[in-house]
Amino acid sequence: GQQVMQIPQYQHVQEGEDFTTYCNSSTTLSNIQWYKQRPGGHPVFLIQLVKSGEVKKQKRLTFQFGEAKKNSSLHITATQTTDVGTYFCAGDNFNKFYFGSGTKLNVKP
Amino acid sequence: DGGITQSPKYLFRKEGQNVTLSCEQNLNHDAMYWYRQDPGQGLRLIYYSQIVNDFQKGDIAEGYSVSREKKESFPLTVTSAQKNPTAFYLCASRLAGGNYNEQFFGPGTRLTVL
């Protein structure tokens, strides 16, 4: 069945360092979304990528969708303590959404 | 104030009892979803509904049931057949149709079965 794998599971960085999380799907996706979940909170939508090879930026966050539409990445430049949380990708397959296991980011001040 | 609400925030039940989790949205969204989240894991889809009076099983539907009698409401019943019901349950909704798939999540219900 459909699977979305996400690595790493945890990442501890010093404030100011960069951070990247990667998602890989076992099948081609129509689109992929990224969500952030703060500790004790619920997932909040960050962005959606639709086109093959698409790159989108939100301030210090850069999102990429692979050419084959089977992988994606989220890169944060110069992390801040406000970036703490778990980042999830979610692949869309005919209106069913398959979430990666998430990458928990901890930022040390 | 538009949004999606879940109640209660915390729920304790004895083993063998059925329990119903509430999910309501006033966003006029067509599609609604129930996910289960276990510690250190991602979200797993339990059930989803694209339209009133219709719903489909997700990947882990066994031991759960839903109804969609109104567009605004999508309650989830955790039955005694669910072998490991203790988890964080998240409800989400989105505007169906088109290519924009942002899901709006409720605050979640943390269910503990004693």
Side-chain angles (χ1 to χ4, degrees), chain B:
Chain B
D1 188 24
I4 179 166
T5 58
Q6 291 183 243
S7 60
K9 189 171 183 179
Y10 298 96
L11 190 56
F12 297 88
R13 279 295 181 268
K14 290 183 179 179
E15 195 172 337
Q17 288 182 333
N18 290 359
V19 60
T20 297
L21 280 57
S22 165
C23 178
E24 304 277 332
Q25 54 97 3
N26 61 4
L27 300 167
N28 200 31
H29 286 173
D30 300 294
M32 297 187 74
Y33 302 80
W34 273 106
Y35 295 92
R36 170 184 171 136
Q37 186 175 32
D38 292 285
Q41 295 190 33
L43 283 66
R44 292 184 290 167
L45 183 63
I46 305 173
Y47 268 97
Y48 64 107
S49 169
Q50 301 277 71
I51 196 169
V52 174
N53 291 322
D54 188 46
F55 48 82
Q56 286 79 41
K57 291 181 179 180
D59 298 315
I60 56 165
E62 186 176 348
Y64 300 97
S65 66
V66 293
S67 63
R68 187 83 187 277
E69 296 176 2
K70 298 186 300 181
K71 189 175 185 178
E72 302 81 20
S73 179
F74 191 40
L76 173 75
T77 297
V78 184
T79 75
S80 56
Q82 168 50 231
K83 293 176 183 168
N84 186 18
T86 295
F88 187 46
Y89 290 88
L90 286 157
C91 180
S93 70
R94 74 176 184 94
L95 195 63
N99 204 24
Y100 189 65
N101 290 315
E102 176 179 356
Q103 292 183 70
F104 293 79
F105 284 84
T109 293
R110 196 167 295 278
L111 173 65
T112 303
V113 175
L114 306 169

Side-chain angles (χ1 to χ4, degrees), chain A residues 6-108:
Chain A
Q6 190 172 355
I7 58 169
Q9 190 174 4
Y10 300 98
Q11 186 80 57
H12 301 272
V13 300
Q14 197 72 40
E15 189 172 22
E17 292 180 338
D18 292 355
F19 159 77
T20 306
T21 174
Y22 302 90
C23 270
N24 283 290
S25 169
S26 56
T27 60
T28 302
L29 300 167
S30 56
N31 62 75
I32 195 162
Q33 299 130 48
W34 285 91
Y35 293 80
K36 177 183 179 180
Q37 185 175 23
R38 292 184 187 274
H42 58 274
V44 175
F45 176 83
L46 293 176
I47 208 161
Q48 175 176 287
L49 304 171
V50 179
K51 299 176 184 175
S52 169
E54 189 170 14
V55 178
K56 286 188 176 180
K57 292 191 175 185
Q58 288 180 350
K59 297 182 180 178
R60 295 177 294 103
L61 278 62
T62 302
F63 304 85
Q64 293 189 337
F65 201 10
E67 293 290 341
K69 300 183 72 172
K70 295 179 74 173
N71 58 71
S72 181
S73 66
L74 158 59
H75 179 82
I76 302 178
T77 304
T79 54
Q80 300 174 0
T81 54
T82 53
D83 295 324
V84 165
T86 302
Y87 292 85
F88 293 99
C89 60
D92 177 13
N93 188 8
F94 299 105
N95 296 317
K96 284 181 71 174
F97 296 90
Y98 295 89
F99 280 77
S101 53
T103 296
K104 189 172 183 179
L105 173 64
N106 186 37
V107 180
K108 291 176 284 188

